[in-house]
Amino acid sequence: MIEQLDALLAQLDALQERALRELEAINSLAELEDWDVRYLGRHRGELKNFSTLIPKLGKAERPVIGQKINAVKEKLESALETRRQELRDRELREALERERLDVTLPGRALPAGHMHPISRTILEVARIFTRMGFQVVQGPEVETDYYNFQALNIPVDHPARDMQDTFWVVPGEILLRTQTSPMQIRVMQATRPPVRVIVPGKVFRHEAIDASHEAMFHQIEGLLVDERCTMADLKGSLARFAREMFGEDRRVRFRGSYFPFTEPSAEVDIDCILCKGSGCRLCKYSGWLEILGSGMVHPRVLREVGYDPRKYRGYAFGMGVERIAMLKYAIGEIRLFSGNDLRFLRQF
Ligand code: 2U9
C-alpha cells in the first residue's frame, strides 16, 4: 500500500512539473484554454483521472492523495491565472503599441486652391475704385449690336465694327461683347446721375493670337457722370489709380487719343516700372508704358441714354486686365493666363 501511495504522489508531482513546464511555453490565450481543459478539465482533465482513483484506495491513503490532488490543483490554477494575466497584459501592450497615435505629428495639409492672377488683379483694381465711391457691376457677355456699338457712337464704317473682328451669334444683331461698355449704357438707362460704376468682365475679339493678344480677355471699364465733372476729375482719379496700382513714385502722363465714345480722349502712361524711364525692351525704349484709355463721355452717348449733355458731364476709362497683370507681375506671354499650367499659376 505504501509503495502504491508513493507512486501516486510521485505521478502527481510529475504531472504538476510537466503542466507547469508546458504552461511556461504557452504564448496565446487560445493555447491557454486548451491547457486548462487538458489538466484541470472537469470531465477528462488529467487531475480528474486521479480523483476517480480515490475510492479504490485504502481508508488511510485517501485523505493523503485527496490533499495532494487539491494542492496540485491549487498550484496549477494559480499558475494558470498568473499566466493568463501575463498574456492579457502582453496583448494589451501590443494593441496599444500597434494603434499608437503620435499627437505631436504635424497635421496633413489639405490641398487648397487660390485666386487666379486675373481675378486677383480685378479685385485689386476694384478695391482702388470702390474706395473712391465706385460700385462694381457686371453685365451679359452676349449683347446686341445696339448696346455694343450703336449706343456707343461707333459708326458703321468704324474698324471696331468690322464683321471680321466681332464674334457674331446672329450676324448684324447678336454678338459676344467686344468691350464691357454696353453695361454702362444699361446702367445709365436704368438710373439718373450721379453714376459711378466700374464694370469688370470677359470680352471677345476675333483677332490673330500672339504673346499679347487673345480672342478672349478681360476688361475693366469705369464711368462717372455728374454735374460739374471735368477733365481735371478724370486726370486726378486716374493718376491716383495709376499710383495706387503701380507705386506712389510713378510718373503719370496723359496723351491725346481718339475713341468714338469719348471726346476729348486720352491714353494714360506711367514711367516704365523696369527702367524707370531711361528706356528698355519692356517700354520699347520710350520710357513709358500705356496702362489705360480714357476720355470725357461723348455728348451723343449721353443724349442716347436720355441725359442732357448741357447739364451732365462724364468721364470714362477702360483697361485690359491681362495687360495690367502682365506689367504688374512682369509676365511676357498673355496665353499663360488661360493655359492652366499649375507651375505658372502657383507663383501667385
Ligand atoms: C461709356 C462711355 C465711354 C470706355 C473707354 C477706353 C477708353 C479704352 C481700351 C483699353 C484697353 C480697351 O481693353 S482695351 O483694348 N479701352 O481705351 N475705354 S474710354 O469708355 C466708355 C465706356 C462706356 C458709356
Side-chain angles (χ1 to χ4, degrees):
M1 277 318 228
I2 294 294
E3 293 90 80
Q4 198 190 6
L5 183 64
D6 282 347
L8 278 175
L9 290 174
Q11 278 177 31
L12 279 163
D13 279 334
L15 171 67
Q16 175 178 307
E17 200 194 312
R18 175 159 51 87
L20 290 176
R21 220 184 313 115
E22 277 182 30
L23 190 62
E24 277 304 305
I26 282 176
N27 267 315
S28 76
L29 287 168
E31 284 177 79
L32 197 68
E33 297 320 311
D34 282 350
W35 182 94
D36 187 10
V37 172
R38 200 158 64 246
Y39 288 102
L40 299 168
R42 301 222 273 142
H43 290 295
R44 287 213 160 73
E46 293 206 25
L47 220 45
K48 186 74 189 175
N49 294 340
F50 281 93
S51 311
T52 56
L53 292 175
I54 292 176
K56 296 175 190 154
L57 296 171
K59 218 170 177 168
E61 287 87 8
R62 285 183 205 166
V64 182
I65 289 301
Q67 277 165 20
K68 181 66 181 175
I69 291 173
N70 277 341
V72 171
K73 190 174 168 222
E74 272 167 34
K75 178 91 188 159
L76 293 189
E77 278 174 346
S78 100
L80 170 68
E81 210 32 63
T82 306
R83 190 79 189 120
R84 184 178 275 142
Q85 202 50 53
E86 281 171 8
L87 290 174
R88 283 197 181 135
D89 286 353
R90 202 179 69 188
E91 281 190 9
L92 180 63
R93 266 199 313 279
E94 284 171 359
L96 286 173
E97 186 60 35
R98 209 168 39 241
E99 295 160 24
R100 185 164 72 179
L101 276 184
D102 183 350
V103 294
T104 67
L105 280 176
R108 289 196 191 92
L110 288 175
H114 63 49
M115 212 179 278
H116 190 279
I118 291 302
S119 308
R120 194 175 136 173
T121 305
I122 289 174
L123 228 66
E124 267 180 86
V125 173
R127 252 192 87 68
I128 295 169
F129 284 105
T130 51
R131 279 200 297 264
M132 297 186 202
F134 286 76
Q135 274 189 308
V136 180
V137 295
Q138 284 177 284
E141 288 167 12
V142 179
E143 269 291 1
T144 62
D145 179 273
Y146 171 79
Y147 282 108
N148 196 81
F149 293 131
Q150 280 165 244
L152 286 157
N153 190 39
I154 299 175
V156 250
D157 56 349
H158 192 274
R161 246 184 127 147
D162 192 324
M163 297 296 277
Q164 300 288 309
D165 295 344
T166 304
F167 286 109
W168 290 97
V169 178
V170 178
E173 287 177 48
I174 312 286
L175 47 74
L176 300 185
R177 67 182 179 189
T178 60
Q179 49 202 355
T180 62
S181 338
M183 188 54 194
Q184 284 95 292
I185 300 292
R186 292 174 185 279
V187 168
M188 287 193 287
Q189 283 179 345
T191 56
R192 306 305 307 161
V195 169
R196 272 181 295 186
V197 290
I198 60 162
V199 189
K202 288 184 170 70
V203 298
F204 306 85
R205 290 183 191 175
H206 193 200
E207 295 193 296
I209 309 291
D210 63 26
S212 46
H213 296 86
E214 276 219 278
M216 185 281 292
F217 63 102
H218 296 77
Q219 265 191 354
I220 299 183
E221 287 194 340
L223 171 72
L224 180 147
V225 183
D226 207 342
E227 296 173 29
R228 294 180 302 276
C229 168
T230 72
M231 192 87 185
D233 299 303
L234 177 155
K235 288 187 73 179
S237 306
L238 295 182
R240 186 89 291 282
F241 162 74
R243 295 194 173 106
E244 288 199 25
M245 195 69 191
F246 291 100
E248 285 301 329
D249 53 349
R250 287 276 77 72
R251 293 174 64 207
V252 181
R253 177 175 86 167
F254 290 79
R255 185 166 36 78
S257 185
Y258 170 80
F259 304 107
F261 30 80
T262 49
E263 182 61 36
S265 304
E267 278 169 314
V268 181
D269 300 341
I270 53 173
D271 61 338
C272 180
I273 44 184
L274 205 63
C275 64
K276 315 277 182 209
S278 60
C280 67
R281 216 167 60 106
L282 180 63
C283 61
K284 299 202 184 77
Y285 302 95
S286 73
W288 296 96
L289 297 170
E290 183 192 322
I291 58 165
L292 53 84
S294 66
M296 302 304 291
V297 178
H298 198 290
R300 280 203 208 129
V301 174
L302 293 174
R303 205 176 296 118
E304 181 65 35
V305 297
Y307 289 4
D308 181 353
R310 287 165 305 181
K311 187 169 176 202
Y312 296 110
R313 302 287 142 82
Y315 73 75
F317 54 91
M319 67 190 90
V321 180
E322 280 79 357
R323 179 172 173 80
I324 299 287
M326 286 168 82
L327 292 174
K328 181 137 179 155
Y329 302 115
I331 298 161
E333 168 59 76
I334 195 172
R335 285 165 288 195
L336 285 169
F337 292 117
S338 53
N340 283 338
D341 186 335
L342 290 177
R343 291 169 303 176
F344 167 71
L345 294 172
R346 286 202 173 112
Q347 296 176 78
F348 295 90

